[in-house]
Amino acid sequence: MDRWLCAFLGGYALSFCFHQTASLALLTLIAVLASICFVLGYCTRLQSIFLGCVLCGILWGAGNAYFVTQQHVANDWFQGDIALTLAIDTITARQENAWRITAIVAEAPKDLSLPLPQRVRLHWYDPHANGAQRIPRAGERWRMVVRLKPPQGTRNEGGMRYHRHLLAQGIQALGTIRSGVRLAPTNSTRQRVVARLQRALTDVPQAGVLLALLVGERFALSADEWQVVQRTGLAHLLAISGMHLSLVTGFVFALAWHILMRWPRTRRQREQMNLWQLTPWCALPVALLYAWLAGFAIATLRALLMLLVIWWHKAYACRVSSFRVVLRAVIVVILLQPLAPLSMGFWLSVGAVASIFFMNWRWLHYRGRAAKLKALWRFEWLITLLFVPVMAAAFGGVASAAALTNLVVVPLVSLWVLPVGLIGLVCATANQLAWGQWWLQLAIWPLNKLWPYLDRLAEQPWQWLVAAQLPPWPWLVVGVTVIIVPVVWRWRLLGVAVLMFTYFVVQAVPPNSAFQLHVLDVEQGSALVVERQGHAMLIDTGASWDGFGSMAERVIVPFLQERRLRPELGFITHTDRDHEGGYKVLSEQYAAVRWYGGRHGAPCLAGQSGTWRGVTWRVLHPRHAAQRGNHSNNDSCVIVLRLGQVKVLVTGDIEKQSERKLLAELAPVQADLLVIPHHGSKSSSESYFVRHVKPAAALLSRGRNSAYGHPHREVMATYQALRVPIIDTARGGQITVHSDGVHWSLEQPLSAALGYWFDVETSQ
């Protein structure tokens, strides 16, 4: 049977390699062919069942992809404010000056097109100033005026594939709340439990950590607390997943085992009793209750399903290899969660379980004193080692002391914090807040005493190794494989030595001397990176929001780290927040950068010029410094870059007045590539100006479904009339221009055209 499951899994994996979703006719054809294969395999000696299983896997993956993509929301839902009746289905995440709400659309306007969004994620910014009388709670129904946008995020190298995460979560639209009125006051049972727990956590130190440990809600964690757990390798403790579920149900399992052992009164009854068949039925309700307490989060549900598969094998004495158990567990997960592979948590869960089985297969069991402690230490450093490539690729860094901190903290959380905290949770649920608070304070006491040391450890520069300081993740994968391959140590050491020598030889090769220009996808804003020989020139820094971070943190710094670039020169075209917003972050991260323009750099004036690593730059506008530097749109710093013989014109947010002034001053504006002024606003891109630039292509940086109406249809018509193709960050993400100094080529490496069906574009 397992070979058929492998065939099914192979076909399912193949369905994620399709660049487009299959049509209904093709899906029907696959189903017919699979049926024929099964009939032939049953009626004849042809080995066609294996092929039938492969086709079934393709059908399952491609079929779910078809139905998911058919539910894309019609575009007129994103054109303005609309009034919706929403059923709140999760605990509202309270952030500083904002609430994040996930809800089901219960009632929508009749005049909008189908299909409509079923599940939406909304932010209510500065809610009390915008008329919110109280926080929305799970189970309530609200009438809200919202502005929706497609479920997409930015697309850049080094950045999170947020649209894939939303697809896996079933989120069909994002948006902001303008106003809201509560209709039905009924709260869900879980909401009442969490609310009572929050009241009991008043004045309890590390309350956010306890809330995450007990009910899986991490919104109460401060930025400092999250940084500590991330940089010490303890972030996995703050989500109710396999470890928490195993601890709670394992305790109930052991308790039920000892009780049932003493239940039979005769030897015959004891011999006939199969405790592995009876005991799981006692632990199963507790596992379901705990998963419900975590809101049946995807990670929790996945852990529950895998635990049930393992129990089933134990209950029916199925003596199979660890590989087969993992295989069957994965099959169950993808049958119930077909889009689970789009979530990084799926791979972390499967990887953790596979690592545990691998450890039991690869190494002998310890014996004698401290055997369990030695086995735990071996497990911690092994799983840390195995996950180094994943952490470097997915999270941008590795906690070097993760094995040691987990060796200390995991037993502490498992044997003290979690069980004592659950007693406090039960007391709080029973409305015994005083007792609940006492138990919760007792639960967090050892972790509270340990926290200053964790905080100090997280601040050490050697503790958090940024991915840019490590070899690229493919090298890390090979290195980990060489270390754990089942051969004698001398061969492993030889393999590591050869690998290190090869890596240093490759690193000694001079970097690529070609020019690259990257127009990053920073939504409504601008950020360009010129790359040459491992270094970078920056032009603009994206937007920032008070209390909500900046595009520099989310996009630019991860991009620079992914490409292993060190910026040396920077320009800010003008002081609008969507151009200068990330200056503070970048100046702190890269203190050696020399800046021009904006509020903080040297004035950016016409006539300035220079050469940076073979890139010649020249400022064309403005000719006179305003009182506050490059402040207004028409004072934007206009720069022409020469990459060898290829010219790029960067225009900031200049409007028609400045375009005419540039032409009147006979500025050399002709260029091969034009960065469209002011994100495509109708106040810019006059036809006369574009004709003088004579660009072969125009690069547009703008936000999806822009509230400003960018790009304006008149602007699009101007470029279309002049036969200038427009490449748009909102329709494919990051734009990269490659040039050898004579010729140039252009691509969008993360666009749906080059990607897969789950990268489909839904924005306008």
Side-chain angles (χ1 to χ4, degrees), residues 55-87:
L55 292 174
C56 284
I58 295 175
L59 184 64
W60 182 249
N64 279 283
Y66 171 80
F67 288 111
V68 167
T69 54
Q70 289 298 307
Q71 297 173 3
H72 279 164
V73 180
N75 287 328
D76 55 355
W77 286 81
F78 307 128
Q79 302 304 318
D81 294 348
I82 56 175
L84 300 175
T85 300
L86 301 172

Side-chain angles (χ1 to χ4, degrees), residues 363-384:
W363 282 275
L364 298 176
H365 293 286
Y366 287 111
R367 299 183 182 278
R369 295 181 178 180
K372 292 185 178 180
L373 182 60
K374 292 178 182 178
L376 179 60
W377 168 243
R378 183 172 65 186
F379 170 73
E380 292 297 345
W381 71 256
L382 174 65
I383 200 168
T384 300

Side-chain angles (χ1 to χ4, degrees), residues 243 247 376 408-421 443 446:
M243 190 194 80
L247 287 172
L376 179 60
V408 175
V409 178
V410 168
L412 183 65
V413 170
S414 305
L415 303 176
W416 182 276
V417 179
L418 188 59
V420 176

Side-chain angles (χ1 to χ4, degrees), residues 514-532:
F515 303 91
Q516 289 182 306
L517 170 68
H518 308 280
V519 181
L520 301 185
D521 178 11
V522 289
E523 291 285 357
Q524 184 63 33
S526 175
L528 285 75
V529 178
V530 183
E531 177 182 346
R532 186 94 197 281

